[in-house]
Amino acid sequence: MSNRSDRLWMYGTMVKSRHFEALIKPAYFEGKTPVFNMAKGPLPGEMHLSDGQEPCAVGVCAHLRPGDTVTATHRPHHVAIAKGVNLDAMAAEIFGKATGLSGGRGGHMHLFDARVNFACSGIIAQGLGPAVGAALASKLRGEDHVAVAFLGEGAANQGAFHEALNLASVWKVPAIFVIEDNAYGISVAKRDCTAVARNADRAAAYAMPGHFIPGNDPDAVYAVAGEAIARARRGEGPSLIEIETCRLEGHFMGDAEAYRPAGEVERLKAADPIPAYRDRLLADGFDAADLDTAETDARAVVDAAFAAARAAAYPQPEEAFDHVFA
Amino acid sequence: MSSPETITAPRSARRLTIARAISEAIGQEMERDPAVLVMGEDIGKLGGVFGTTTGLLEKFGAERVRDTPISETAFIGAAVGLAASGMRPIVELMFVDFFGVCMDAIYNLAAKQSYFSGGQVTCPMVLMTSVGGGYGDAGQHSQTLYATFGHLPGLKVVIPSNAHDAKGLMLAAIRDPNPVIFMYHKALQGMGWLGTVQRSITDAPEGDYVVPLGKAAIVREGSDITLVGLGLSVHHALDAAARLEKQGHSAEVIDLRSIAPLDRETVRASVRKTGRLLVVDDDYMSYGVGAEIIASVCEAGIPLRAAPRRIAHPDIPVPFTPVMEHFVLPDADKVAAAALTILEP
């Protein structure tokens, strides 16, 4: 069982992440109605929201320090927030502002915060190799930093997944691979494109532990991730963790989700992990007032980040030429 | 070679192949900087299929000289993660033809790490690979693909023509904070089983020196025509220049040494003097180095005494059978003949 302060942190961080996405939703559709045009409005481009997947992020990142590396996916906000990425700079980046993490060069799928060793990328399974490299750097320097690569269940069918797991195991580096199984690669269901029922079983092919975590449960993720991360820090090598989670929104905003069976979204929302976790914490003796305070505080920092991002200036267009080379 | 660095650097009596020059540069930098390590296929016990890591395993051990599985996406991606973590990985991928399996790690990850992070995270890595044909290895082991990589923002692309430059360029590449694609031509590498253009085997100082990236060398001075080459084609141009001299024409030969950054000014200054331009390249013709050089000269409004020309591999896969391969590959005869059409229209 997670300790009391970590559980409170996980709850507050899930609320923070969900509120971040909640503020994106209306902002994203500004300028995109009545006719949807992805290029319009203050948040142009694709937008992949993480509603529902928060337990994966908080259960793992509760064990991480700033010196540990995380690589995340095209759906990165919950993981970035849980890893401690600068929230103001992250919001500003998504709005394409000069005060953003990269000054507007990367946007929502390309968030980097070197202060906490966080990066994400827009290509499926792309972060796995870099996580192996970061883990190798830690090992070569005799440090106990670990590297965690988050990926979707669709990425487990990429060659990069198999190459990276094999390499991590051969080199016995402190890497943890975390599959957020939200059951869909855009529209294609996992059962229609994946030969194994459990991706965790694939760990056996690379001689590393494979853990399957059902139930989208922050405490269960916390327990398993804690074990895998401690093992990596001890120099005992990589692990694979598969978390059964859910995507409460479309693949991207504007997704009509016609591929979903009738009633699926309603069923998933009824099992929303955040109110469920609040109920469990209350049942475990947490004070409602403490949870309320955690919620209020979480929402306040997100509100402030969005207000600052909206008010911030855009970069000068000519700054597009900066940072191509170091 | 008469590159400025060769003239100013201390002379030494020994002669090195490009392979030896590369392995010496890497070994010296590994001694100097503990953050440097080497990874790739067959770079350990074998010392690199093209001799680029000879002796390094014995000297530095398996932690810093790491044979990899045949998993280019993983180990090039890992190099990006190492670089982001403050290490300086040198990665070998044997043949440039193999880059298709791992392009994502190169042009989406390595090349964009600085940009997407707004300069927070750099990517100091060297990706070295062999290029070029002429020995009957057919079209999946004989390409050069210079322009493919020169086209992609965020990558530096280096091509040495001789051992002196190879060592100095490699030292510069390892110290550069950006991803550098270091392409060595098989016809120049000095491997006994491949045959080597003897002019590529040069003296090189034993100590530390750098040949800066993005600085072309005038390897032969002349006044009537500018011949521009890179890697092997520098030697075709030099051979052609010697023949042209016998026919009364003075050719200046420029060795680009890198195409990203590209030293347009050295080329332009030469063409301002000669008024004639021929680019020699063994990459595919279209959208290639020749087009870029000619455009750079034309855009500068430099008056020309004849239309510029380019020689390159035609836009076909590299064929296997020698009668076809040597029919399509550039050589000194073709360079001399093309130069004459410019000099004596």
Side-chain angles (χ1 to χ4, degrees):
Chain A
M1 182 58 69
S2 332
N3 73 44
R4 192 175 170 82
S5 66
D6 280 353
R7 295 183 87 192
L8 193 58
W9 177 86
M10 289 199 291
Y11 181 66
T13 304
M14 289 201 295
V15 170
K16 190 190 290 184
S17 177
R18 184 66 64 87
H19 190 56
F20 192 92
E21 309 298 52
L23 293 195
I24 284 180
K25 286 171 196 169
Y28 187 76
F29 284 113
E30 284 174 33
K32 294 188 178 71
T33 52
V35 179
F36 183 80
N37 179 337
M38 192 173 277
K40 301 288 189 187
L43 297 174
E46 291 180 54
M47 180 58 68
H48 312 85
L49 299 180
S50 61
D51 300 43
Q53 298 185 199
E54 298 90 348
C56 312
V58 298
V60 173
C61 293
H63 301 283
L64 299 181
R65 315 162 183 156
D68 297 321
T69 293
V70 163
T71 62
T73 71
H74 59 287
R75 192 180 311 285
H77 299 164
H78 57 318
V79 183
I81 289 168
K83 185 62 171 68
V85 168
N86 182 311
L87 201 69
D88 291 343
M90 176 174 156
E93 181 65 28
I94 293 167
F95 279 90
K97 297 299 182 73
T99 50
L101 289 164
S102 77
R105 292 172 191 81
H108 133 85
M109 282 186 277
H110 311 290
L111 304 170
F112 282 76
D113 189 344
R115 197 180 47 85
V116 294
N117 290 294
F118 176 88
C120 62
S121 63
I123 311 283
I124 299 304
Q126 196 184 56
L128 278 66
V132 174
L136 176 60
S138 169
K139 179 179 173 171
L140 288 173
R141 290 195 288 238
E143 300 163 346
D144 71 347
H145 299 318
V146 302
V148 180
F150 285 82
L151 60 144
E153 88 290 339
N157 294 327
Q158 274 276 5
F161 170 84
H162 299 275
E163 290 191 14
L165 264 67
N166 182 63
L167 189 62
S169 190
V170 166
W171 285 352
K172 209 174 178 185
V173 297
I176 297 96
F177 303 95
V178 177
I179 299 174
E180 302 179 72
D181 180 357
N182 67 16
Y184 289 98
I186 305 186
S187 66
V188 177
K190 176 189 168 194
R191 63 180 172 276
D192 295 333
C193 65
T194 303
V196 291
R198 297 271 165 86
N199 275 313
D201 293 348
R202 290 173 152 172
Y206 305 108
M208 68 174 75
H211 305 278
F212 171 71
I213 307 172
N216 208 19
D217 175 353
D219 288 332
V221 175
Y222 182 94
V224 171
E227 187 184 313
I229 291 166
R231 181 177 186 274
R233 289 200 205 283
R234 290 194 304 266
E236 293 170 23
S239 297
L240 174 64
I241 298 172
E242 175 188 16
I243 305 167
E244 192 178 68
T245 186
C246 69
R247 194 182 78 203
L248 297 178
E249 297 293 332
H251 165 67
F252 51 33
M253 293 195 68
D255 180 356
E257 301 181 71
Y259 49 84
R260 299 247 207 201
E264 181 177 88
V265 175
E266 293 71 19
R267 194 168 63 251
L268 293 174
K269 285 188 173 167
D272 188 327
I274 296 180
Y277 197 53
R278 182 186 165 97
D279 290 345
R280 186 191 297 165
L281 293 180
L282 289 171
D284 288 347
F286 278 76
D287 191 337
D290 289 344
L291 300 183
D292 291 344
T293 302
E295 287 180 24
T296 307
D297 291 351
R299 291 194 179 108
V301 295
V302 174
D303 288 343
F306 271 69
R310 288 225 184 228
Y314 285 103
Q316 295 301 310
E318 299 77 17
E319 291 175 50
F321 289 91
D322 298 341
H323 302 303
V324 177
F325 290 101
Chain B
M1 307 300 283
S2 60
S3 65
E5 288 73 17
T6 313
I7 293 162
T8 55
R11 308 294 294 194
S12 62
R14 70 200 187 120
R15 286 160 57 76
L16 291 185
T17 62
I18 288 181
R20 279 276 311 281
I22 291 174
S23 64
E24 182 172 293
I26 295 171
Q28 287 180 0
E29 197 64 2
M30 289 181 78
E31 265 178 27
R32 198 187 70 83
D33 182 353
V36 177
L37 73 159
V38 194
M39 310 192 300
E41 293 153 4
D42 305 292
I43 58 97
K45 284 180 188 159
L46 189 63
V49 167
F50 298 105
T52 51
T53 56
T54 303
L56 297 180
L57 175 66
E58 294 75 8
K59 194 161 187 186
F60 298 102
E63 285 290 281
R64 293 178 71 193
V65 181
R66 309 181 78 90
D67 270 326
T68 63
I70 306 169
S71 303
E72 295 84 0
T73 293
F75 72 73
I76 293 175
V80 176
L82 282 160
S85 303
M87 304 294 283
R88 289 189 176 264
I90 301 163
V91 185
E92 174 157 281
L93 211 184
M94 217 180 288
F95 291 83
V96 76
D97 315 72
F98 299 176
F99 281 40
V101 298
C102 55
M103 274 298 279
D104 185 58
I106 299 167
Y107 84 120
N108 273 326
L109 262 181
K112 293 170 184 165
Q113 187 145 275
S114 171
Y115 195 74
F116 279 164
S117 70
Q120 293 180 73
V121 186
T122 58
C123 194
M125 63 181 274
V126 178
L127 179 48
M128 59 180 177
T129 187
S130 76
V131 302
Y135 63 102
D137 217 6
Q140 294 179 347
H141 292 74
S142 300
Q143 302 170 93
T144 60
L145 302 182
Y146 302 134
T148 302
F149 293 91
H151 185 68
L152 299 168
L155 300 175
K156 296 190 175 183
V157 181
V158 174
I159 306 108
S161 70
N162 65 83
H164 170 277
D165 288 358
K167 181 175 172 183
L169 288 166
M170 178 55 80
L171 285 167
I174 301 170
R175 294 172 193 173
D176 198 280
N178 298 289
V180 179
I181 313 287
F182 193 102
M183 297 174 152
Y184 49 83
H185 201 294
K186 280 165 271 177
L188 307 177
Q189 189 66 358
M191 306 305 286
W193 48 277
L194 268 173
T196 293
V197 175
Q198 290 300 303
R199 201 195 287 106
S200 70
I201 302 171
T202 65
D203 60 343
E206 290 182 29
D208 189 323
Y209 66 97
V210 162
V211 174
L213 310 185
K215 186 81 188 75
I218 297 169
V219 293
R220 178 188 174 110
E221 291 192 0
S223 54
D224 298 332
I225 187 169
T226 300
L227 307 179
V228 176
L230 69 171
L232 175 62
S233 70
V234 173
H235 298 277
H236 296 328
L238 285 167
D239 290 341
R243 292 183 209 178
L244 291 167
E245 186 174 31
K246 291 178 187 146
Q247 294 168 267
H249 300 295
S250 166
E252 180 147 296
V253 178
I254 293 177
D255 178 353
L256 291 174
R257 299 200 292 200
S258 77
I259 58 166
L262 178 60
D263 185 358
R264 301 174 204 270
E265 276 317 306
T266 293
V267 175
R268 285 170 177 155
S270 174
V271 180
R272 277 192 194 97
K273 179 175 71 175
T274 63
R276 299 184 183 90
L277 173 62
L278 172 63
V279 186
V280 190
D281 177 17
D282 50 347
D283 194 3
Y284 304 124
M285 167 84 82
S286 295
Y287 312 98
V289 171
E292 188 61 33
I293 294 291
I294 289 169
S296 297
V297 166
C298 293
E299 283 173 337
I302 296 166
L304 293 167
R305 292 195 266 180
R309 287 196 59 181
R310 55 189 158 147
I311 289 180
H313 192 284
D315 294 337
I316 59 169
V318 181
F320 160 63
T321 191
V323 294
M324 288 183 182
E325 186 180 20
H326 291 288
F327 177 70
V328 298
L329 278 176
D331 60 25
D333 291 342
K334 291 168 189 165
V335 176
L340 283 174
T341 68
I342 299 172
L343 289 157
E344 300 173 359

